[in-house]
């Protein structure tokens, strides 16, 4: 069974659980605007004409697409019924929905999860127009809960791919630590990490499960311009920024934010190093204290992550550890979900800030994979940021890979 088949079957079970009759993904010209749900339904394939992909809680899997694309979809062996058209989708869509007679039709709109918000405004209007005069126009509901669960609950195949991505990331970090020398620029270090990504040959899969050609943009968990982030010393801009021409000096903290994409699934890890001054054998006490604070925040948060608790309750634990230790509050969520993209949707380990919507109030579920990433700055030295990847199990959150437990010391 392919991963796409696994996820579509999982979607049927989620529809049963949530008592929703139908999940409808309605798209057009997906090479221009691509609904994120398509990756789970048809892989990397594109659809040109208006198309409807239907999954029901009774187990029906129906595709209504242009006749020119029927053969490509049939090769996926996902949809039991593939209905083609030449001139207009409206009548075929209306008669199919009428035949299925759903009470609730989940469509891809969401206020909280961008990965569940793929139905464009115009396509929503077309859908309402096509269903006008039927009872089904008033039975549209948000597919956010379905997509949250579908993207969040990783199958064994998905988890194995993320574990491999984390393993490769850890190996690249270790080689990078040995490579770093005083006087190198952040950009030189970043270029070396790109070289290692190419050597590992990480890539993504085509819709039929075959590998696409290796490419640095494919092998990284986010765009190459800022993956990795390499921040050396107190003057390096921290955030979603790429490496700069700042040179590594003794007495600098070096902060990394880096991830790879292995067969469509991402890692996302932050590590820190300290470049020893000539007379030093360990990091200064200020850096050690900051590192211990972050390690405590990560571990206490992980220990509290149990099925059924809200993401906000976990964020509060970490945030209070950092601020109670005398450091400023970090201005971002403690952790996000991880999957086909580095920032996946659904439940968030975050504060109740407007920009995060209702995501921090959502509860943790088995199979979800999260980052835990508190951070703080050490004046005069640089930025400390730790980010670990964990998977939710019935017994709580477990690390994927080995977390950073000590400051990496660079002799230079």
């Amino acid at each position: 069974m392919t991963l796409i088949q696994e996820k579509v079957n999982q979607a049927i079970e989620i529809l049963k659980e949530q008592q929703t009759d139908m999940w409808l993904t309605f798209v057009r010209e997906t090479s221009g605007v691509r609904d994120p749900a398509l990756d789970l339904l048809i892989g990397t394939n594109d659809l040109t004409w208006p198309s409807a992909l239907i999954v029901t809680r009774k187990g029906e899997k129906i595709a209504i697409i242009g006749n020119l694309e029927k053969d490509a979809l049939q090769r996926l062996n996902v949809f039991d019924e593939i209905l083609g058209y030449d001139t207009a989708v409206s009548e075929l869509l209306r008669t199919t929905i009428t035949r299925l007679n759903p009470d609730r039709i989940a469509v891809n709109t969401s206020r909280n999860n961008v990965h569940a918000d793929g139905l464009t405004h115009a396509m929503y209007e077309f859908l309402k127009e096509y269903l006008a005069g039927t009872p089904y126009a008033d039975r549209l509901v948000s597919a956010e809960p379905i997509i949250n669960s579908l993207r969040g609950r990783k199958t064994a195949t998905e988890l194995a791919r993320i574990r491999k991505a984390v393993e490769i990331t850890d190996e690249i970090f270790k080689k990078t630590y040995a490579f770093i020398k005083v006087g190198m620029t952040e950009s030189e270090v970043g270029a070396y990490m790109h070289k290692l990504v190419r050597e590992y040959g990480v890539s993504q899969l085509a819709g039929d499960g075959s590998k696409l050609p290796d490419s640095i943009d494919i092998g990284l968990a986010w765009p190459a311009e800022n993956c990795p982030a390499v921040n050396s010393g107190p003057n390096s801009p921290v955030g979603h920024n790429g490496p700069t021409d700042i040179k590594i000096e003794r007495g600098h903290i070096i902060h990394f934010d880096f991830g790879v994409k292995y067969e469509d699934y991402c890692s996302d890890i932050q590590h820190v190093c300290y470049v020893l001054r000539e007379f030093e054998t360990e990091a200064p006490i200020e850096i050690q204290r900051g590192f211990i604070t972050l390690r405590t925040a990560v571990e206490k948060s992980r220990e509290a992550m149990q099925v059924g608790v809200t993401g906000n309750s976990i964020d509060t634990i970490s945030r209070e550890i950092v601020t109670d230790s005398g450091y400023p509050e970090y201005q971002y969520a403690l952790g996000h979900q991880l999957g086909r993209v580095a920032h996946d949707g659904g439940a968030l380990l975050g504060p109740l800030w407007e920009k995060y919507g209702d995501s921090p109030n959502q509860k943790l579920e088995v199979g979800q994979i999260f980052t835990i990433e508190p951070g703080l700055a050490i004046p005069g030295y640089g930025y400390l940021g730790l980010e670990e990847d964990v998977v939710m199990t019935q017994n709580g959150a477990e690390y994927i890979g080995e977390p950073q437990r000590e400051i990496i010391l660079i002799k230079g």
Side-chain angles (χ1 to χ4, degrees), residues 202-238:
V202 287
S203 63
Q204 75 178 35
L205 299 181
D208 60 3
S210 63
K211 280 197 173 184
L212 293 173
D214 290 344
S215 155
I216 190 62
D217 289 325
I218 289 173
L220 292 165
W222 56 92
E225 289 76 14
N226 60 347
C227 183
V230 183
N231 304 112
S232 186
N235 298 319
S236 184
V238 176

Side-chain angles (χ1 to χ4, degrees), residues 177-400:
Y177 304 149
F179 171 78
I180 293 172
K181 301 295 180 186
V182 171
M184 287 181 176
T185 65
E186 295 175 353
S187 295
E188 287 175 312
V189 175
Y192 176 73
M193 296 174 78
H194 284 177
K195 173 177 175 289
L196 293 177
V197 171
R198 292 189 188 95
E199 290 177 359
Y200 275 94
V202 287
S203 63
Q204 75 178 35
L205 299 181
D208 60 3
S210 63
K211 280 197 173 184
L212 293 173
D214 290 344
S215 155
I216 190 62
D217 289 325
I218 289 173
L220 292 165
W222 56 92
E225 289 76 14
N226 60 347
C227 183
V230 183
N231 304 112
S232 186
N235 298 319
S236 184
V238 176
H240 297 158
N241 303 296
T244 72
D245 290 332
I246 290 175
K247 290 186 176 181
I248 293 170
E249 299 178 16
R250 296 188 183 278
H252 275 191
I253 293 170
I254 307 177
H255 163 257
F256 295 92
D257 191 352
F258 176 60
V260 303
K261 178 174 283 192
Y262 176 80
E263 294 187 358
D264 292 331
Y265 286 81
C266 298
S267 60
D268 186 3
I269 296 173
Q270 293 179 49
H271 279 184
V272 291
C273 304
Y274 175 69
V275 186
L276 292 167
R277 297 186 178 103
E278 292 182 354
F279 58 86
E280 291 176 324
T281 59
E282 60 183 13
I285 192 66
E286 303 98 305
I287 296 175
Q288 294 186 45
R289 180 175 179 271
F291 184 85
I292 291 170
T293 299
L294 294 186
R295 272 299 310 152
T296 302
V298 169
E299 187 59 21
K300 292 299 183 183
S301 298
R302 185 191 68 83
E303 290 174 353
M305 291 175 69
Q306 298 292 327
V307 174
V309 306
T310 66
N312 175 246
S313 68
I314 305 303
D315 176 88
T316 299
I317 292 169
S318 175
R319 200 168 294 276
E320 289 182 351
I321 288 172
V322 171
T323 57
D324 288 352
S325 298
Y327 298 101
E329 179 180 12
Y330 46 89
Q331 298 301 304
Y332 53 86
L334 170 66
H336 51 79
Q337 287 193 59
L338 182 67
R340 297 183 67 88
V341 291
H343 287 197
D344 221 320
L348 180 79
L349 312 181
L352 300 177
W353 296 346
E354 178 186 295
K355 65 181 179 181
Y356 294 133
D358 191 54
S359 296
N361 289 320
Q362 295 180 25
K363 295 180 179 180
L364 308 190
E365 300 181 2
V366 171
Q368 292 172 332
I369 295 176
F370 286 95
T371 65
I372 307 176
E373 48 179 304
L376 55 90
I378 306 296
Y381 293 101
Y383 183 76
L384 291 176
L386 292 181
E387 181 175 17
E388 308 295 353
D389 300 340
V390 301
V391 57
M392 289 298 302
T393 74
Q394 290 287 4
N395 298 319
E398 298 178 357
Y399 287 115
I400 302 175

Side-chain angles (χ1 to χ4, degrees), residues 71-99:
D71 286 346
L73 235 59
Q74 284 171 341
R75 286 196 292 269
L76 294 178
N77 293 317
V78 171
F79 296 93
D80 301 320
E81 189 176 356
I82 300 179
L83 307 175
Y85 74 91
D86 290 315
T87 61
V89 73
S90 53
E91 183 62 26
L92 192 52
L93 177 61
R94 185 166 52 249
T95 57
T96 301
I97 290 177
T98 300
R99 167 166 59 91

Side-chain angles (χ1 to χ4, degrees), residues 98-166:
T98 300
R99 167 166 59 91
L100 297 172
N101 192 27
D103 286 331
R104 286 165 53 85
I105 305 171
V107 295
N108 300 349
T109 61
S110 172
R111 293 176 61 90
N112 301 292
N113 182 354
V114 65
H115 301 291
D117 197 32
L119 180 63
T120 67
H121 181 71
M123 291 302 282
Y124 179 80
E125 289 182 329
F126 279 127
L127 183 60
K128 295 283 283 188
E129 177 184 321
Y130 297 160
L131 296 178
T134 76
Y136 308 109
D138 296 324
R139 297 182 184 179
L140 305 181
V141 299
S142 170
E144 179 183 315
I146 295 165
I147 297 174
N148 284 355
S149 294
L150 186 61
R151 293 187 74 102
R153 300 175 189 175
K154 303 300 188 294
T155 67
T157 300
E158 292 176 295
L159 177 56
R161 293 182 184 183
I162 292 174
R163 287 191 188 280
K164 184 64 176 179
V166 170

